[in-house]
Amino acid sequence: MKKVFKILLWVVIALMFVSTFVFLYLNSKGEKEVYATCVPERATIERATVLTGKIEPRDEIEIKPQISGIISEIAVEAGDFVHEGDVIARIKVIPDASSLSSAQSRIKNAQISLDDASTKYNRDKALYEKKVISREEYETSEKTYLTAAEELAAANDAYKIVREGVSQYNAAESNTLVRATITGLILDVPVKVGSSVIQANTMNDGTTVATIADMNNLIFKGNVDETEVGLLRVGMPMSIAIGAMPELAPSATIEYISPKGNDSGGANTFEIKAALCLDSSEGLRAGYSANATVTLAKAENVLTVPESVVTFVGDSTFVYLRTDTVPEPVFSRTAVTTGLSDGIKIEVKEGIDSTAVIRAAKLN
């Protein structure tokens, strides 16, 4: 009995030893790696960039007065459509005391000259009728009288202009009337009745009475990063997406790329402008936010693979190509020449063909 027990004990010990050895052996081999695979496909790859910006009118004109004074009437409001020459506002002139005094003095002097010329003219006229003086003397006296009368009228008109800003001879073209200089939409009227306005001169830009723009001639104005500005060219097309009007998707053509960058928040950007192609600008407003998509490069019907399967080592690129399947898949690193990428797929120019099987993501 004891002999049987000893035999069983040694058998158990032997089994434990063998099972431990097998367990350690199997663990030392490690888990078998399993990979997904993919094959190259022919596709079209586009590299595009998205620019943020705004929709703006090409020509936005600030209307300024030609005379200083106070706004007495405003004939338009923002959103009104005006034609060139339409009256926008009227200005009441506040005369300068010195100019007013000079104009009054001119009237008095002109009146004195006219009285003197009138007396001499009447006297010479009577003498000429009696054949006492020559016709030449009479005509000289008459000319002096008419000139003095004209000077008095001019002095009175100058006084009226200084006091009221209106000429009696050309009231319709008075400087007190602020008129539209182009046909377009009123974007803003920053003044109110009673506001003081100043005419433009060498010392200041003058007061803006209204801002007018031609809304049929719109542009997209945005900024592009310095890493991509070198890929843009004047004349390149772009598609526009307007946040406030998603149903509208106009095209545009780049017509200006700034030669100088702007440092904004540490990022160096360059301003671009693009002319919008629109059948109608109805509903569009100046200042709408918009995004522009520009295709920087395009490769059609080229061999592509997912960019995730490509390994980048310095300036070289590799893929792991399946070279055998028995007893298990074997992959070898193969150098390839890549081209254009859209961030998801990448063009492969050399190194593999359409029959290649490439190692992709690990499954375990």
Side-chain angles (χ1 to χ4, degrees), residues 27-72:
N27 282 347
S28 66
K29 292 184 64 176
E31 186 179 2
K32 183 179 179 181
E33 293 182 338
V34 180
Y35 291 92
T37 59
C38 66
V39 295
E41 297 179 350
R42 290 204 166 270
T44 297
I45 294 181
E46 292 186 359
R47 180 185 174 187
T49 185
V50 177
L51 315 179
T52 59
K54 293 183 177 181
I55 302 299
E56 296 184 1
R58 182 185 300 279
D59 299 315
E60 189 171 319
I61 308 300
E62 293 183 344
I63 307 299
K64 300 179 182 293
Q66 299 179 23
I67 194 170
S68 299
I70 294 176
I71 298 291
S72 62

Side-chain angles (χ1 to χ4, degrees), residues 341-353:
S341 169
D342 61 4
I344 300 175
K345 292 185 177 181
I346 189 169
E347 175 188 4
V348 180
K349 295 181 176 180
E350 296 178 359
I352 59 174
D353 57 26

Side-chain angles (χ1 to χ4, degrees), residues 76 104 158 167 184 198 210 230 247:
V76 297
Q104 290 173 333
S167 170
I198 302 173
E247 73 282 358

Side-chain angles (χ1 to χ4, degrees), residues 44 63 125 128 134 145 198 205 241 269 300 312:
T44 297
I63 307 299
K125 182 179 181 181
Y128 174 71
S134 66
Y145 167 72
I198 302 173
D205 294 333
T269 60
E300 296 183 345
F312 296 87

Side-chain angles (χ1 to χ4, degrees), residues 143-263:
K143 181 179 179 182
T144 301
Y145 167 72
L146 294 175
T147 301
E150 183 64 28
E151 172 59 22
L152 179 60
N156 282 316
D157 191 51
Y159 174 73
K160 186 175 182 181
I161 291 175
V162 171
R163 187 183 64 187
E164 302 175 5
V166 180
S167 170
Q168 63 181 347
Y169 300 111
N170 196 13
E173 299 299 326
S174 169
N175 288 344
T176 60
L177 300 178
V178 181
R179 298 179 181 274
T181 56
I182 63 170
T183 297
L185 191 71
I186 300 290
L187 299 183
D188 187 27
V189 182
V191 296
K192 298 180 180 179
V193 173
S195 300
S196 296
V197 294
I198 302 173
Q199 69 182 100
N201 53 51
T202 56
M203 300 299 294
N204 60 69
D205 294 333
T207 306
T208 299
V209 176
T211 303
I212 305 177
D214 181 4
M215 295 300 290
N216 292 318
N217 191 0
L218 299 173
I219 63 171
F220 168 84
K221 183 186 289 186
N223 293 288
V224 61
D225 190 82
E226 64 179 339
T227 59
E228 296 178 330
V229 68
L231 301 174
L232 299 181
R233 297 289 183 273
V234 172
M236 290 180 68
M238 59 171 55
S239 57
I240 307 296
I242 302 172
M245 302 181 70
E247 73 282 358
L248 190 64
S251 60
T253 304
I254 298 176
E255 60 181 18
Y256 170 80
I257 303 173
S258 174
K260 182 179 180 181
N262 298 313
D263 188 0

Side-chain angles (χ1 to χ4, degrees), residues 273-338:
K273 296 177 183 178
L276 262 66
C277 302
L278 288 167
D279 295 331
S280 173
S281 61
E282 184 178 356
L284 274 177
R285 299 178 184 273
Y288 269 163
S289 297
N291 293 328
T293 302
V294 188
T295 299
L296 302 177
K298 185 176 182 179
E300 296 183 345
N301 193 30
V302 294
L303 201 64
T304 67
V305 296
E307 189 166 341
S308 59
V309 306
V310 179
T311 303
F312 296 87
V313 181
D315 295 333
S316 301
T317 50
F318 303 90
V319 296
Y320 285 86
L321 192 65
R322 191 174 70 184
T323 56
D324 200 354
T325 58
V326 180
E328 60 184 29
V330 177
F331 298 94
S332 62
R333 193 169 79 163
T334 304
V336 294
T337 302
T338 57

